[in-house]
C-alpha cells in the first residue's frame, strides 16, 4: 500500500489532535457495511447483526455476508447503505404527506430512507446532475416499490423557479473531499489537497441556491461525508450569517 501523503497526515493531526492516532489505525480496518430492511425482518435476518445506533431500522452486516447477491435483495426486501449514510434521513424525520427534495441524491439511499419513513405517502423528488446516476435512483425505487419517489436530472447550483418555496424538507448532500469515507474509497488518502481547495465555494453555491426551495417553516439539511471544518461548520456559519431567517437545530 502506498504511503500516506505528508500533507494528509499533517492535516489530519491538526484536525483531530489526540484522536489522530485512532483515526490512522481505523484506516486499515474494513468498512462497516449495513442494510435497512424494507418488508419485514425475515428476509434480512440471515445477513445482519447489531443495530445501527443512530438509525432506527438500520443494521450492520455479519462478517462475510453477501446480501446483495440474494433473491431477497432483488425482490426489494431491503436496501444496502453505509451506516453513516443513514444519519441524514434519521435527522430529517420526514412525515407522511410531506414534499421532500433530495439534491445530489444518487444512488438514492437517502431518498429511499426518507420515503420509507414517510410510509411512501407524499413526494420525494430525487435529483442528480448525471443522467446515468438518475437511472440508479429509478432502478432502486422500482426495486423497493416506492411509488412516492420521482427523479430528475438537475444541477444543484442552477436555479429552478418552479421549486421556490415548494418543499417541506430539502436535503443538500453536497460534493466534498470525502475524508469520512476513506475506508470505502482508500484512494482519497493519496490525493493532493490542492484540487480540493475550491470545494467550499461549490458547497456555498449549492446551499445558497437550494435554500430558496424550502417552504417557510421547513427544514434544510446540509450534509457532507468529510471531516474538514472548512467544508462543514465554516460553510454553515457563512450561510447563517447571510440568512438570518434560518437557525440551526
Amino acid at each position: 500500500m502506498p504511503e500516506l501523503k505528508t500533507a494528509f497526515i499533517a492535516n489530519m493531526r491538526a484536525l483531530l489532535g489526540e484522536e489522530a492516532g485512532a483515526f490512522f489505525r481505523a484506516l486499515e480496518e474494513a468498512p462497516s457495511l449495513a442494510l435497512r430492511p424494507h418488508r419485514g425482518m425475515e428476509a434480512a435476518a440471515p445477513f445482519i447483526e447489531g443495530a445501527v445506533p443512530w438509525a432506527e431500522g438500520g443494521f450492520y452486516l455479519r462478517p462475510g455476508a453477501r446480501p446483495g447477491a440474494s433473491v431477497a435483495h432483488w425482490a426489494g426486501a431491503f436496501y444496502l447503505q453505509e451506516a453513516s449514510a443513514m444519519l441524514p434521513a434519521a435527522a430529517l424525520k420526514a412525515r407522511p404527506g410531506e414534499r421532500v427534495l433530495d439534491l445530489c441524491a444518487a444512488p438514492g439511499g437517502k431518498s429511499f430512507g426518507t420515503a420509507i419513513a414517510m410510509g411512501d405517502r407524499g413526494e420525494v423528488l430525487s435529483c442528480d446532475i448525471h443522467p446515468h446516476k438518475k437511472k440508479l435512483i429509478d432502478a432502486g425505487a422500482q426495486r423497493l416499490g416506492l411509488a412516492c419517489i420521482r427523479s430528475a436530472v438537475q444541477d444543484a447550483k442552477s436555479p429552478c423557479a418552479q421549486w421556490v418555496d415548494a418543499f417541506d424538507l430539502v436535503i443538500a448532500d453536497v460534493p466534498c473531499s470525502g475524508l469520512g469515507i476513506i475506508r470505502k474509497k482508500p484512494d482519497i488518502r493519496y490525493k493532493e489537497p490542492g484540487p480540493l481547495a475550491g470545494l467550499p465555494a461549490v458547497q456555498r453555491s449549492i446551499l445558497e441556491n437550494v435554500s430558496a426551495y424550502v417552504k417557510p417553516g421547513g427544514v434544510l439539511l446540509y450534509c457532507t461525508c468529510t471531516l474538514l471544518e472548512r467544508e462543514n461548520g465554516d460553510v454553515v456559519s457563512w450561510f447563517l450569517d447571510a440568512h438570518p431567517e434560518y437557525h440551526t437545530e
Side-chain angles (χ1 to χ4, degrees):
M1 181 177 291
E3 293 185 2
L4 299 178
K5 296 284 187 181
T6 301
F8 174 80
I9 295 173
N11 287 340
M12 291 299 99
R13 290 196 184 282
L15 176 69
L16 300 174
E18 294 181 355
E19 294 182 302
F23 171 77
F24 291 123
R25 289 191 295 273
L27 295 185
E28 308 310 320
E29 299 174 1
S32 299
L33 305 178
L35 64 71
R36 187 188 294 272
H38 177 38
R39 298 192 177 104
M41 289 292 296
E42 184 176 355
F47 305 108
I48 60 177
E49 50 186 16
V52 175
W54 52 82
E56 183 178 357
F59 296 87
Y60 291 106
L61 297 188
R62 297 181 187 275
R66 297 183 61 210
S70 69
V71 173
H73 173 262
W74 294 109
F78 48 78
Y79 68 97
L80 302 173
Q81 189 177 32
E82 297 289 329
S84 59
M86 295 179 180
L87 185 56
L92 203 60
K93 296 181 174 63
R95 296 171 295 184
E98 291 185 315
R99 293 194 75 199
V100 182
L101 177 62
D102 185 2
L103 282 309
C104 313
K110 289 180 293 299
S111 292
F112 304 153
T114 300
I116 291 170
M118 294 164 59
D120 203 22
R121 300 192 300 275
E123 179 187 3
V124 178
L125 178 54
S126 187
C127 303
D128 201 272
I129 192 173
H130 301 293
H132 71 281
K133 290 188 176 182
K134 175 185 178 297
K135 293 179 181 179
L136 297 176
I137 299 169
D138 292 336
Q142 182 177 18
R143 181 178 61 80
L144 294 165
L146 294 170
C148 78
I149 293 178
R150 61 186 182 93
S151 64
V153 175
Q154 178 67 27
D155 183 349
K157 299 191 299 296
S158 299
C160 185
Q162 62 264 41
W163 291 355
V164 173
D165 293 339
F167 295 91
D168 300 289
L169 310 169
V170 174
I171 305 171
D173 183 9
V174 298
C176 71
S177 54
L179 296 182
I181 55 171
I182 291 176
R183 290 191 299 187
K184 180 182 177 182
K185 297 181 178 180
D187 288 349
I188 292 172
R189 72 184 84 183
Y190 310 122
K191 288 184 177 180
E192 295 289 349
L196 305 177
L199 282 170
V202 174
Q203 294 154 355
R204 291 194 297 267
S205 177
I206 291 175
L207 196 54
E208 176 68 26
N209 181 50
V210 305
S211 66
Y213 305 151
V214 185
K215 291 180 180 178
V219 173
L220 171 59
L221 178 67
Y222 176 80
C223 48
T224 75
C225 56
T226 192
L227 306 174
L228 299 181
E229 188 67 8
R230 67 172 179 266
E231 297 180 51
N232 292 322
D234 289 355
V235 173
V236 172
S237 295
W238 168 86
F239 177 79
L240 292 174
D241 288 343
H243 290 272
E245 71 275 20
Y246 277 88
H247 65 273
T248 54
E249 295 206 6

